Amino acid sequence: MDRHQWNEKYAAQPILWAVDPNPFLAGEVGDRPPGRALDLGAGEGRTTLWLAARGWDVTAVDFSDVALDRGRQRVEAAGAPGTVGWVCADLVGYDPTGGPYDLVLFMFIHLEPAERRRLLRAAAATLAPGGIVLVAGYHTDQATRASGFRDPARLFTADAIAADLKGLRIERAERLEVGDDVDAIVRAVRD
């Protein structure tokens, strides 16, 4: 889908995604002290809000200005102690400079493999020592399921993501079944 289609999708209903962030996020960073985070594909800001509420300073990037406006309103209404910088940009050409970041999130972003690899490597290069990259998305096995995103060209395995993040220490790389969905989960750290 392009920017216009996503804007229409977001504008068609009051909130597109559940308010709570992906459960994977809380399990991976819930006890980590706040720092600077880069939320790629932030959408309506549910993950950004969760982080900002815990004191993180977040750069939230998405190409839907409708979603970003909604996210901005949610964060302001919550009075979150962290700060948020909202960036309207297409991730295909986005240059994630502005680090160092303590956390980079790549949650359910399904780009073409070469685009994904470029963005992940560029984002990983912005990590501070000890910083982590968290990736969660539909596994290639999702293509045979009835629900979720099923474009096999844009799905991935945890091993493919780990290969995209050469130079980082891979702490977790696994296939995870969540209800009817099959996800690939990766946590990588800059030493």
Side-chain angles (χ1 to χ4, degrees), residues 2-160:
D2 65 19
R3 179 186 309 229
H4 177 73
Q5 291 168 316
W6 273 109
N7 276 338
E8 285 181 346
K9 188 171 183 167
Y10 282 116
Q13 49 193 348
I15 191 155
L16 187 58
W17 307 110
V19 175
D20 295 330
N22 186 292
F24 167 69
L25 178 65
E28 294 295 325
V29 299
D31 60 353
R32 187 173 174 91
R36 293 189 68 221
L38 176 62
D39 186 3
L40 297 168
E44 296 168 301
R46 67 182 179 158
T47 300
T48 297
L49 173 58
W50 186 88
L51 289 167
R54 284 153 182 78
W56 287 81
D57 296 322
V58 185
T59 299
V61 184
D62 201 280
F63 73 171
S64 170
D65 54 314
V66 172
L68 290 175
D69 285 343
R70 187 171 292 161
R72 185 180 297 109
Q73 291 169 10
R74 291 169 70 185
V75 169
E76 288 173 3
T83 63
V84 179
W86 302 93
V87 178
C88 189
D90 188 335
L91 295 178
V92 171
Y94 180 66
D95 178 12
T97 56
Y101 293 105
D102 302 296
L103 174 64
V104 171
L105 299 173
F106 195 92
M107 309 288 282
F108 290 89
I109 301 168
H110 295 94
L111 303 173
E112 294 291 337
E115 296 167 347
R116 179 193 72 227
R117 190 172 306 110
R118 182 210 61 83
L119 181 58
L120 274 173
R121 288 179 178 167
T126 70
L127 283 176
I132 61 176
V133 174
L134 292 177
V135 179
Y138 290 120
H139 188 279
T140 54
D141 292 346
Q142 186 69 30
T144 63
R145 301 292 173 112
S147 67
F149 185 77
R150 296 189 309 264
D151 180 350
R154 294 173 182 250
L155 302 177
F156 49 80
T157 65
D159 289 342

Side-chain angles (χ1 to χ4, degrees), residues 28 132 168-174 186-189 191:
E28 294 295 325
I132 61 176
L168 299 182
R169 180 171 33 90
I170 305 300
E171 291 188 335
R172 180 179 184 190
E174 63 187 77
V186 176
R187 174 187 169 114
V189 178
D191 288 324

Side-chain angles (χ1 to χ4, degrees), residues 41 176 181 190:
L176 185 65
D181 295 333
R190 173 166 308 289

